[in-house]
Amino acid sequence: MNKESFRINRLRRGSKRMPASVIEQWGFEHGFHFPRDFVDFFTEFGGAIPEDEVGYEFTYEDDGVKGFAPIIGFLHFDPDVRQGSVDDEYRLRCTDHWDQPLLVPFADTEISTFAVLDFRRSRHAPAVYDVYFFDESKADPDRPSMTWLADSFTDFIDLLEREEDYLARNPD
């Protein structure tokens, strides 16, 4: 699914779209260089609640079971609105609860996971993971349960699909 196929139902309550400079500044203040595709997407879709039920297929890290994560919405960078912001979820999930300051959540799902940029290997080319912040990894109890999704943000956007299409392919 490419970003041109997104239909936006609404923005998260009270949030506004932010210019690239605000998004880049947030990254800079936290030691990140967001990829251009990420900045461009969040300039246009930050805080968006998709009209269609879209999400991504993933495999749970600890048991290998496949699942589908429907996206509730993309987080936003509006500094005047705390709820549903990248800043709030980053602080709450990645620095206050887990000592994982190199993970940056950007979308939440109906199954209590988040899509995140993972800057642990590269500060300029982050991979994308599905992270369940409410359970520790069996492989590494110092971090939450994580499943790799894509090598880049563009690859992540390309793997998004409508939930009805996923269910048609996976009737069980």
Side-chain angles (χ1 to χ4, degrees), residues 59-76:
T59 303
Y60 287 94
E61 174 188 22
D62 292 329
D63 59 17
V65 173
K66 289 196 180 287
F68 185 79
I71 292 175
I72 292 172
F74 292 96
L75 303 179
H76 63 81

Side-chain angles (χ1 to χ4, degrees), residues 103-121:
L103 302 179
V104 178
F106 64 81
D108 53 351
T109 74
E110 292 179 0
I111 59 171
S112 300
T113 65
F114 287 80
V116 305
L117 293 179
D118 179 3
F119 287 92
R120 292 177 300 165
R121 289 201 176 108

Side-chain angles (χ1 to χ4, degrees), residues 62-140:
D62 292 329
D63 59 17
V65 173
K66 289 196 180 287
F68 185 79
I71 292 175
I72 292 172
F74 292 96
L75 303 179
H76 63 81
F77 285 90
D78 184 342
D80 297 327
V81 179
R82 186 174 186 168
Q83 185 177 11
S85 71
V86 170
D87 188 62
D88 192 46
E89 294 297 346
Y90 174 76
R91 192 174 11 82
L92 180 65
R93 313 275 177 220
C94 302
T95 61
D96 289 355
H97 185 76
W98 292 96
D99 184 21
Q100 295 293 319
L102 298 179
L103 302 179
V104 178
F106 64 81
D108 53 351
T109 74
E110 292 179 0
I111 59 171
S112 300
T113 65
F114 287 80
V116 305
L117 293 179
D118 179 3
F119 287 92
R120 292 177 300 165
R121 289 201 176 108
S122 171
R123 294 292 180 100
H124 298 283
V128 178
Y129 278 76
D130 176 81
V131 178
Y132 184 56
F133 285 108
F134 305 103
D135 193 18
E136 68 186 30
S137 166
K138 289 180 184 166
D140 181 358

Side-chain angles (χ1 to χ4, degrees), residues 128-157:
V128 178
Y129 278 76
D130 176 81
V131 178
Y132 184 56
F133 285 108
F134 305 103
D135 193 18
E136 68 186 30
S137 166
K138 289 180 184 166
D140 181 358
D142 290 332
R143 66 165 173 79
S145 180
M146 298 174 60
T147 302
W148 173 88
L149 296 173
D151 286 329
S152 71
F153 186 74
T154 294
D155 290 347
F156 169 76
I157 294 300

